[in-house]
Amino acid sequence: MATVRHAHTVWQGDLLKGSGVVTLDSSGLGSYDVSWPARSEEPNGKTSPEELIAAAHSSCFSMAFSNGLAKDGHPPTRLETKADVTFQPGEGITGIHLTVTGEVPGLDGARFQELAEDAKKHCPVSQALTGTTITLTAELG
């Protein structure tokens, strides 16, 4: 059965001087301030669409990778994934770099890399972002 998750944003003012609040409706985990300066300069305690994409991508990739490792007979002890989403004003999102370090007993580095690449390709968030260059660094810890 398909699931649908919900969030909404209320924005006031124009792009450069305005601000908004994004609310995570499905989980009820909270509301977060957003603004153009938080997106194009320093965050100053506010989030951005790119930070939210980074959170979604790092968690989705970690789930897909842990599943692939387990199916390969090597369930991970621990995976730590960082997603760096690059935003260039006037161009948009120009790239995403995933960095994963894992503790996986009995697995060599080459197979770890191969399974990480497969997870990058097949995680649903990666698939949704196919218009963006996604790169990966994968290392056993």
Side-chain angles (χ1 to χ4, degrees):
M1 178 164 70
T3 58
V4 177
R5 299 295 182 254
H6 307 277
H8 78 276
T9 300
V10 176
W11 187 267
Q12 296 180 15
D14 66 12
L15 174 62
L16 299 179
K17 295 179 186 166
S19 64
V21 176
V22 60
T23 301
L24 306 180
D25 297 322
S26 297
S27 65
L29 289 176
S31 296
Y32 304 92
D33 293 334
V34 295
S35 70
W36 177 253
R39 187 174 194 183
S40 60
E41 299 168 19
E42 292 300 316
N44 293 321
K46 297 178 180 168
T47 194
S48 68
E50 291 72 28
E51 184 177 38
L52 297 170
I53 289 170
H57 205 176
S58 66
S59 60
C60 182
F61 171 84
S62 294
M63 290 179 195
F65 192 23
S66 68
N67 186 49
L69 288 163
K71 284 184 175 181
D72 195 58
H74 301 284
T77 303
R78 183 174 193 274
L79 296 173
E80 183 173 337
T81 305
K82 178 182 176 185
D84 297 312
V85 177
T86 302
F87 174 74
Q88 179 64 45
E91 291 182 45
I93 294 173
T94 58
I96 300 171
H97 185 75
L98 299 170
T99 303
V100 61
T101 304
E103 296 172 16
V104 187
L107 188 68
D108 66 39
R111 185 67 178 148
F112 183 81
Q113 180 71 39
E114 182 180 331
L115 293 170
E117 288 288 343
D118 187 67
K120 179 188 83 162
K121 180 179 177 183
H122 291 103
C123 111
V125 172
S126 289
Q127 291 178 344
L129 299 171
T130 56
T132 301
T133 301
I134 301 170
T135 56
L136 172 70
T137 301
E139 298 175 356
L140 284 169

